[in-house]
Amino acid sequence: MAPPPPSPSPSPASGAQYAHQFLNTALSQRGPSALPYAEDVKWLIRNHLVALADAFPSLHPKAALFTHNDGRAAHLLQADGTIPIHHAGASYNLPAVLWLPEPYPRSPPLVFLSPTRDMLAARPPPTEDPAEVYKRNAIAKLVDMAYADAATLRPVREAEVDTLFAMQATLRSRGEVVSDGVRKMGEEKEALERRLQDVMMATDLMEAWVMENTKGAAGDTEADEAIETADVLSKQMLECTAADLALEDTIYALDKAIQEGSVPFDGYLRSVRALAREQFFQRVLSTKVNKAQQQAQVARMAARAPQYAS
């Protein structure tokens, strides 16, 4: 795997200052130009590169195109420059490029060195610089602390997300219940409006009939005297029918009143129970009167039979 040739670096006033300015701009990009790092670790990447530039001012952070072994290309962050080393009593500035892969810091950086010809096959110094060891350990400790903080916060955030999902499901279910209730109320309202229209139409017809049949009648004529029955059974049948219809109208009026909330529910139940009982008795009596009328009609026909036979 070979990195692309390093691009020329700008000339910042200082390594740390340039790192701050460049990383703040590069890591805040969104959309197609965004760098392929997770949002929750960008602040950690910034801190790592700033600390690296502060420790090695000769390393400058950049963004460049990196080609993987499988041919994939991606714009990644790199630190390009030289690393000072001491060997055999001499100081060298070793050209180096440090690439941060997409899963960083979960994956280590990719480091490429370009030693000069007189440094090939040279043995490394027997001991490490204590300052370098301290810096490396400090960076590793910071990474461990960041991972520990993320692991502590993750269950809390997951619990909050689960709570929000449960609340959303509850609200969706309640919304469906409310919508169904509104739909049923609309259907019931339409049915009541149709029934009201039918009642109003029947009332208009009844009033027209009454006005038509009371023309020319004396002003003091009683309603009971307006219709004369043929016999006692017919009069009794008329009274039963009138009482039945009056009870039916009263029960309907109570139904409207309970729908509008004009009467208490317990009073409504007591009144409807009493009216229904009275209506039942009137209908039973009407059935008996009807049966008596049929028997009387049969008796009259039987009495006339000998007359027709002669």
Side-chain angles (χ1 to χ4, degrees):
M1 173 169 51
S7 57
S9 60
S11 301
S14 67
Q17 181 181 0
Y18 168 73
H20 274 285
Q21 296 174 353
F22 171 77
L23 293 172
N24 287 339
T25 301
L27 292 175
S28 63
Q29 294 294 326
R30 298 294 183 270
S33 59
L35 294 172
Y37 300 105
E39 290 294 331
D40 57 344
V41 299
K42 284 185 176 180
W43 65 272
L44 187 61
I45 293 175
R46 173 187 172 279
N47 292 341
H48 286 181
L49 290 177
V50 169
L52 183 64
D54 191 28
F56 299 98
S58 58
L59 290 176
H60 306 289
K62 297 179 181 179
L65 188 65
F66 182 83
T67 303
H68 292 274
N69 288 337
D70 57 3
R72 291 184 299 108
H75 276 87
L76 302 178
L77 288 174
Q78 64 169 210
D80 183 22
T82 60
I83 299 177
I85 63 173
H86 301 279
H87 175 66
S91 298
Y92 302 92
N93 290 323
L94 183 64
V97 180
L98 287 79
W99 292 88
L100 302 187
E102 292 93 331
Y104 184 85
R106 295 176 179 83
S107 294
L110 305 176
V111 182
F112 298 92
L113 302 177
S114 301
T116 59
R117 183 178 299 274
D118 57 351
M119 296 180 63
L120 295 178
R123 298 180 59 185
T127 58
E128 291 186 297
D129 187 359
E132 296 297 329
V133 175
Y134 174 79
K135 291 177 182 179
R136 184 169 63 251
N137 292 338
I139 293 175
K141 185 176 181 180
L142 288 175
V143 173
D144 293 340
M145 291 175 60
Y147 275 119
D149 292 340
T152 302
L153 292 176
R154 179 172 296 175
V156 178
R157 296 294 179 263
E158 291 178 351
E160 292 178 354
V161 171
D162 293 340
T163 302
L164 291 176
F165 278 136
M167 185 180 300
Q168 184 181 18
T170 302
L171 292 175
R172 186 183 297 110
S173 176
R174 292 180 180 176
E176 293 175 356
V177 173
V178 171
S179 300
D180 187 62
V182 171
R183 179 183 58 79
K184 290 182 179 179
M185 291 177 63
E187 294 176 354
E188 185 176 356
K189 179 183 177 182
E190 293 178 358
L192 291 174
E193 289 177 349
R194 289 194 298 269
R195 186 174 180 183
L196 178 61
Q197 292 177 358
D198 294 340
V199 172
M200 293 177 64
M201 186 180 297
T203 302
D204 293 340
L205 292 175
M206 183 65 69
E207 291 178 352
W209 183 87
V210 170
M211 292 181 64
E212 183 68 23
N213 288 275
T214 55
K215 288 182 179 179
D220 58 350
T221 302
E222 296 292 337
D224 294 340
E225 298 176 357
I227 300 176
E228 295 183 0
T229 57
D231 49 29
V232 176
L233 291 176
S234 298
K235 182 178 181 180
Q236 194 172 10
M237 175 61 75
L238 180 61
E239 292 175 351
C240 290
T241 304
D244 185 12
L245 294 176
L247 291 169
E248 184 70 22
D249 291 342
T250 304
I251 293 174
Y252 175 74
L254 285 174
D255 290 340
K256 294 289 291 182
I258 192 64
Q259 292 176 4
E260 297 173 354
S262 302
V263 296
F265 186 71
D266 53 350
Y268 165 79
L269 291 179
R270 289 196 299 269
S271 299
V272 170
R273 189 181 297 112
L275 292 172
R277 186 185 301 110
E278 180 64 23
Q279 189 179 37
F280 173 75
F281 290 148
Q282 293 294 336
R283 289 183 178 179
V284 171
L285 181 58
S286 176
T287 302
K288 292 181 179 179
V289 171
N290 185 32
K291 186 176 181 180
Q293 285 180 328
Q294 292 177 359
Q295 292 176 351
Q297 186 176 2
V298 171
R300 286 196 298 271
M301 293 179 64
R304 293 177 183 176
Q307 181 179 357
Y308 292 140
S310 62

